[in-house]
Amino acid sequence: MQIPETSGSPENIVKRSGHWTRDVVQLLTPLIGIRGHYAGHRLELVEVLAEGPQVALLDTSSGPRIQTNQYGDPLTRQPRILTLPVVSTVEADAHPVLRALLPDAILGELRQLIDGPAGAD
């Protein structure tokens, strides 16, 4: 099983209020540094992004990959960083990777936020 690829394209992100996004960011930010496993990969939460909202996960199980600049020239070797939406693009629930990483109490709070009315402040 593969980790779902980065899915931060604007058409896949459900539009929600700034208040909702702020609540999600406040809920997840204290968890930066949490580690877990998903589909045979060791992952660490390294950033919570308000845009989307999304999370950045460091794949500590893979070797460094070559990072290129905007022209495609190789620069350095860096670990793989995955940027995933907090809300699944397939169902009205947290992203499957987050469901595997988050503690049950936090996942429950996140699901309550997701189930709340979209666009309501």
Side-chain angles (χ1 to χ4, degrees), residues 61-116:
S61 59
S62 67
R65 295 175 180 233
I66 296 175
Q67 183 178 18
T68 59
N69 64 13
Q70 64 189 10
Y71 305 108
D73 299 325
L75 294 176
T76 61
R77 291 189 177 270
Q78 299 293 330
R80 181 178 180 196
I81 300 280
L82 303 164
T83 306
L84 304 172
V86 170
V87 179
S88 171
T89 57
V90 178
E91 57 189 323
D93 198 358
H95 193 283
V97 175
L98 287 178
R99 292 193 305 245
L101 294 180
L102 296 178
D104 290 337
I106 299 296
L107 183 57
E109 288 183 51
L110 179 59
R111 284 179 166 154
Q112 286 179 346
L113 289 171
I114 291 169
D115 289 340

Side-chain angles (χ1 to χ4, degrees), residues 1 11 16-17 21 38 40 44 48 52 58-59 63 71 81 85 88-89 92 103-104 110 120-121:
M1 179 181 265
E11 64 272 4
R16 299 198 183 243
S17 72
T21 299
Y38 182 82
E44 179 180 345
V48 180
L58 174 67
D59 184 357
Y71 305 108
I81 300 280
S88 171
T89 57
D104 290 337
L110 179 59
D121 275 319

Side-chain angles (χ1 to χ4, degrees), residues 46-64:
V46 293
E47 188 68 52
V48 180
L49 307 167
E51 185 179 326
Q54 300 178 68
V55 293
L57 302 167
L58 174 67
D59 184 357
T60 60
S61 59
S62 67

